[in-house]
Amino acid sequence: MRIDAYNQISQIYQTNNKYKTQKTTSVSARDKVEISSMGKAYQAAKSAVNEAADVREDKIADIKSRIDNGTYNVSAESFADKLLEKYQAL
């Protein structure tokens, strides 16, 4: 490999020249973001879900008190019926 041949090629294509970039004087347009009404509604719903409690404390307190009192009874038939309804819905 001849190195001097590379120098001759770079002279032909003028690859050794350095070009200066020019600075822009003004900005023609600015970027902006617009959120659609659907997006705003989605954000509102998402924040409402995040603020809501995962557990319904009033239901849990009622069931716990009925279990402690011994008045909470679940019918095996109604439990089986509900289980079958959910299974058939899949």
Side-chain angles (χ1 to χ4, degrees):
M1 179 170 135
R2 291 180 39 203
I3 296 175
D4 58 339
Y6 174 75
N7 289 337
Q8 291 172 355
I9 291 172
S10 66
Q11 287 173 356
I12 292 172
Y13 289 108
Q14 299 176 351
T15 58
N16 292 337
N17 292 348
K18 295 181 180 178
Y19 299 100
K20 292 184 179 181
T21 58
Q22 296 177 353
K23 293 184 179 180
T24 57
T25 56
S26 65
V27 177
S28 60
R30 293 185 177 248
D31 292 337
K32 66 179 182 176
V33 175
E34 291 183 22
I35 299 174
S36 68
S37 61
M38 180 77 157
K40 290 177 184 176
Y42 176 76
Q43 272 303 91
K46 186 176 176 183
S47 65
V49 167
N50 285 340
E51 292 173 4
D54 290 339
V55 178
R56 293 179 55 189
E57 297 292 334
D58 56 336
K59 285 267 196 187
I60 292 174
D62 178 48
I63 292 173
K64 278 186 179 182
S65 67
R66 291 189 337 189
I67 290 172
D68 291 340
N69 295 336
T71 59
Y72 184 72
N73 295 319
V74 177
S75 167
E77 288 181 22
S78 67
F79 175 75
D81 290 339
K82 287 182 183 181
L83 187 64
L84 286 174
E85 285 176 15
K86 290 199 179 219
Y87 181 73
Q88 289 174 351
L90 297 176

